[in-house]
Amino acid sequence: MEVHDMTRKAYMIGTGVGNLAAAIYLIRDGGFNGDQITMMGLEDHGANDGAAVKDYEKEYGNQALSNSKGFLAKGGRMLNEETFENLWDVLRSVPSLDHPGQTVTDDILNFDHAHPTHDVGRLIDSDGPRVKPNKDNYRHMQFDNKDRYLLSKLMLMPEKDEEKLNNISIAEWFASSPHFFTTNFWYMWQTTFAFKRASSAVELRRYMNRMILEFSRINTLEGVTRSPYNQFESIILPMRKYLEDRGVTFINNRKVTDLEFKDTPLQDDIIVTGLKYEEVDNDNKEGHIDVAENDLVFDTNGSITDSSSLGDFNTPFKENMDYAPSAALWKKASEKFYSLGNPDKFFGDRTQSEWVSFTVTTNSHFLVNEISRITQQEPGNALNTWINSTPLLSIVVHHQPHFKAQKPNESTFWGYFMYPRRNGDYVQKPVMEMTGKEMLEELLGHLAEVDPSKDNIKNHTQEIMDSIVNVIPVYLPYASAMFNQRAVGDRPDVVPKNSKNLAFISQFCEQPFDMVFTEQYSFRAAQRAVYTLLNIPLSEMTPMHHYEKDPKVMARATKTMFR
């Protein structure tokens, strides 16, 4: 490691979990003082959000809500104890905000071990949860031999040959076996990890290798590690507190609009010399930061919650057509250097990536108790998917409370539609046009259809509606953009070739083996960025597990293929 220069500065563009992790690596492993680090973002949470609805009013000031009560989490992020090596390592350095003497890793793993996930209502069809002891029981993967052959061929493809999958979708890979898309495996896999048929076959290959330990228990989701509260409160806030206590400067509502580069012969070297920005809460006042050649710049080159839009119980959202702001900065840089990837592959086709989610807040536990009765599982036991739902509806009822500010009588849960341009089955309009109330009505219709009780849930519709504090629908145009079809080179390296002081940390940079749509990917990119720019040997990076090389794990996976 090079001798640290105490005058050196680090500028973090974006305040999501990746840059928070990079700042911790700079301090913990790189010898930086906190006052050498400045973090700039449009808000204080990145994609790991979760708060009272009123706390979003400043962020979404242009979208006046008639009802700002209740809680909101735009999305859910699953953790995994066995494969999130970088995340657990970093969070072992971050003190718990709730339990003095413990770390955030202690907080999460202790909670998870006390409340282990065991999903018993993972898939639901017109007969209810697929738990009957027959061929439809979701313990059975339902593969035929062609499915097994194609999935095995994909998984066993050497990493060096990934370019053979350039711009190939999952639908194209399985074109000769459409049966694959009717299996329990596909219904579970796509809604657990957010794949679509249009998603990249490369990413499915990476997931099958990296998450092969979970393949044999995908039906119960026992490998899902849950945090005590939403991840903003359980992960982001402790990380911010750790950094603030060490003198790191946080500047919210600052949008970096352009990177300035040094003119070099043939544009061979990438050296950031300045940052242009706007203060979005101060009449878009423009500013400039001079960046010395020895300073470091870490850019979040793409966020999956960019350009999202909100509605409320009585108001549908209005689709935000803006190109993702974080990717717009990346795009400007990619137009100046040939080695910085192709952001349009991920942010130019919303049909591959869009979702709609909704967060329900109630002032009683009646609805959550009814969901538990119908799905046959307690809150906190992961995911329920209605496989006959035209827009493919799933819900997650978290362990309660999911927000620290929840009152004892309040419940919250979250759901999402993977195909929001399709009509609902009980509300005859596209999900994109629904109010929060109508999304709840769509869910209640599916619950009533499979309710075996004589006192069907539909008999309690008014009681449920009277209990609603709010239902917040959110349009997420880029929710699974990292899975879009891509080719080798479309994602820039974490530290691009010939870059002297610029690194990318996000779900849209390139790393070997690891899988996107995980905090692990962002944490590992942060370590790779810091170690590369500070000349710390990459051999000292946190070791990763390779369960795909474990004979016992592979034997279980093979058995599961035929289950």
Side-chain angles (χ1 to χ4, degrees):
M1 183 174 69
E2 63 187 32
V3 176
H4 180 55
D5 179 357
M6 304 306 290
T7 66
R8 199 175 198 181
K9 303 294 185 183
Y11 299 99
M12 328 297 281
I13 303 172
T15 55
V17 70
N19 273 347
L20 293 175
I24 293 174
Y25 278 120
L26 285 170
I27 293 170
R28 192 191 74 176
D29 301 347
F32 270 61
N33 289 331
D35 61 9
Q36 296 174 262
I37 302 171
T38 300
M39 304 200 65
M40 300 171 286
L42 290 174
E43 23 71 2
D44 62 0
H45 51 72
N48 291 64
D49 70 316
V53 174
K54 61 182 177 57
D55 292 337
Y56 288 85
E57 288 181 331
K58 189 172 185 179
E59 182 180 345
Y60 289 90
N62 60 329
Q63 301 177 37
L65 300 180
S66 61
N67 181 355
S68 59
K69 297 178 181 179
F71 297 91
L72 167 63
K74 297 176 194 172
R77 308 283 176 267
M78 294 186 306
L79 307 177
N80 183 259
E81 183 172 353
E82 289 84 358
T83 60
F84 282 30
E85 299 92 344
N86 285 81
L87 178 139
W88 304 124
D89 175 57
V90 169
L91 296 184
R92 282 189 186 96
S93 299
V94 179
S96 165
L97 296 183
D98 299 320
H99 300 101
Q102 293 188 8
T103 69
V104 174
T105 292
D106 295 329
D107 267 1
I108 297 174
L109 295 185
N110 289 344
F111 174 83
D112 183 69
H113 294 167
H115 305 88
T117 300
H118 187 81
D119 198 326
V120 297
R122 180 65 188 85
L123 298 182
I124 300 174
D125 60 22
S126 57
D127 294 323
R130 284 194 164 188
V131 294
K132 300 180 179 69
N134 58 33
K135 63 181 177 63
D136 288 334
N137 184 306
Y138 59 80
R139 183 178 180 276
H140 302 297
M141 297 297 102
Q142 297 183 320
F143 293 131
D144 62 21
N145 285 337
K146 190 65 175 290
D147 299 332
R148 296 184 187 103
Y149 166 74
L150 290 172
L151 191 58
S152 299
K153 180 181 178 183
L154 180 67
M155 179 184 170
L156 296 174
M157 179 181 291
E159 188 171 2
K160 65 181 179 61
D161 292 339
E162 274 193 345
E163 64 181 16
K164 294 179 180 178
L165 299 173
N166 281 356
N167 302 312
I168 299 294
S169 68
I170 297 172
E172 290 172 294
W173 182 262
F174 288 97
S176 63
S177 187
H179 173 267
F180 176 81
F181 297 106
T182 69
T183 62
N184 282 335
F185 166 81
W186 174 246
Y187 280 119
M188 290 187 287
W189 196 268
Q190 70 168 326
T191 52
T192 299
F193 300 117
F195 283 97
K196 298 186 178 186
R197 296 188 189 196
S199 299
S200 168
V202 176
E203 303 307 335
L204 178 58
R205 177 199 165 276
R206 289 199 179 194
Y207 262 73
M208 286 302 299
N209 279 280
R210 189 77 164 98
M211 296 295 284
I212 194 61
L213 186 66
E214 303 311 319
F215 177 58
S216 60
R217 55 190 189 186
I218 186 69
N219 54 306
T220 61
L221 292 177
E222 291 174 46
V224 171
T225 303
R226 295 290 186 187
S227 54
Y229 299 98
N230 62 84
Q231 287 175 356
F232 177 68
E233 293 182 291
S234 290
I235 296 178
I236 299 294
L237 282 182
M239 294 177 78
R240 287 178 69 97
K241 180 67 163 52
Y242 173 96
L243 295 170
E244 288 167 352
D245 286 348
R246 284 155 181 78
V248 172
T249 299
F250 283 85
I251 303 174
N252 293 329
N253 303 304
R254 175 172 288 182
K255 178 182 178 181
V256 177
T257 57
D258 206 359
L259 303 174
E260 296 176 332
F261 296 95
K262 182 178 180 179
D263 287 329
T264 59
L266 301 178
Q267 290 290 296
D268 283 340
D269 291 335
I270 299 174
I271 302 171
V272 179
T273 59
L275 307 176
K276 294 181 179 180
Y277 65 84
E278 295 176 354
E279 303 287 6
V280 298
D281 63 345
N282 189 19
D283 296 324
N284 293 334
K285 182 180 178 181
E286 296 182 350
H288 181 275
I289 298 172
D290 290 325
V291 177
E293 290 190 25
N294 198 39
D295 292 340
L296 305 177
V297 176
F298 299 87
D299 179 33
T300 305
N301 64 310
S303 171
I304 62 174
T305 54
D306 270 3
S307 304
S308 54
S309 46
L310 308 183
D312 61 24
F313 187 71
N314 292 308
T315 313
F317 54 76
K318 182 178 181 181
E319 182 177 354
N320 183 345
M321 299 305 298
D322 292 344
Y323 195 88
S326 55
L329 182 63
W330 169 26
K331 187 170 183 176
K332 286 183 179 180
S334 71
E335 291 168 351
K336 299 173 183 176
F337 298 94
Y338 68 88
S339 60
L340 299 189
N342 183 2
D344 284 346
K345 278 289 189 71
F346 308 98
F347 296 94
D349 182 4
R350 296 181 173 201
T351 63
Q352 293 186 56
S353 61
E354 63 185 0
W355 301 355
V356 165
S357 73
F358 60 98
T359 306
V360 180
T361 306
T362 65
N363 63 19
S364 79
H365 304 305
F366 180 78
L367 177 55
V368 163
N369 288 338
E370 287 293 280
I371 293 173
S372 292
R373 176 179 61 80
I374 294 168
T375 62
Q376 303 179 33
Q377 66 183 35
E378 294 298 313
N381 279 293
L383 188 62
N384 308 118
T385 295
W386 276 265
I387 65 173
N388 294 331
S389 163
T390 300
L392 198 54
L393 166 66
S394 299
I395 63 169
V396 176
V397 182
H398 300 287
H399 186 276
Q400 303 293 309
H402 192 53
F403 300 86
K404 290 183 179 180
Q406 269 181 250
K407 299 174 184 176
N409 61 302
E410 290 180 327
S411 293
T412 66
F413 65 92
W414 175 85
Y416 76 102
F417 298 91
M418 281 197 70
Y419 298 97
R421 297 194 185 270
R422 297 178 182 175
N423 273 12
D425 297 295
Y426 297 92
V427 178
Q428 292 300 312
K429 63 170 62 174
V431 172
M432 295 284 291
E433 299 175 10
M434 292 185 189
T435 64
K437 178 183 179 181
E438 289 169 331
M439 291 182 191
L440 178 60
E441 289 172 344
E442 181 71 11
L443 170 61
L444 293 178
H446 282 286
L447 285 166
E449 180 184 6
V450 299
D451 185 354
S453 171
K454 292 182 181 179
D455 188 22
N456 192 284
I457 191 175
K458 66 184 177 183
N459 298 327
H460 297 276
T461 300
Q462 191 58 52
E463 179 179 354
I464 291 169
M465 288 300 175
D466 288 344
S467 77
I468 299 300
V469 175
N470 211 346
V471 181
I472 299 292
V474 183
Y475 175 62
L476 297 160
Y478 308 119
S480 54
M482 72 290 288
F483 287 159
N484 282 18
Q485 296 161 37
R486 65 171 179 86
V488 172
D490 285 336
R491 299 194 302 218
D493 289 339
V494 174
V495 178
K497 182 180 179 181
N498 297 327
S499 173
K500 306 304 181 184
N501 68 347
L502 173 65
F504 295 114
I505 300 175
S506 74
Q507 301 295 300
F508 301 94
C509 58
E510 179 57 34
Q511 300 183 88
F513 183 62
D514 220 344
M515 54 188 179
V516 291
F517 214 167
T518 63
E519 282 89 343
Q520 163 61 22
Y521 200 84
S522 293
F523 275 73
R524 191 160 187 84
Q527 186 179 34
R528 186 180 301 277
V530 169
Y531 280 32
T532 300
L533 291 176
L534 296 186
N535 295 319
I536 302 173
L538 296 185
S539 60
E540 296 182 16
M541 288 181 65
T542 304
M544 295 171 67
H545 293 92
H546 280 269
Y547 292 107
E548 83 286 1
K549 296 179 181 178
D550 185 323
K552 291 183 180 179
V553 173
M554 294 308 296
R556 287 199 298 271
T558 301
K559 185 177 180 180
T560 301
M561 280 271 198
F562 290 87
R563 198 166 69 193

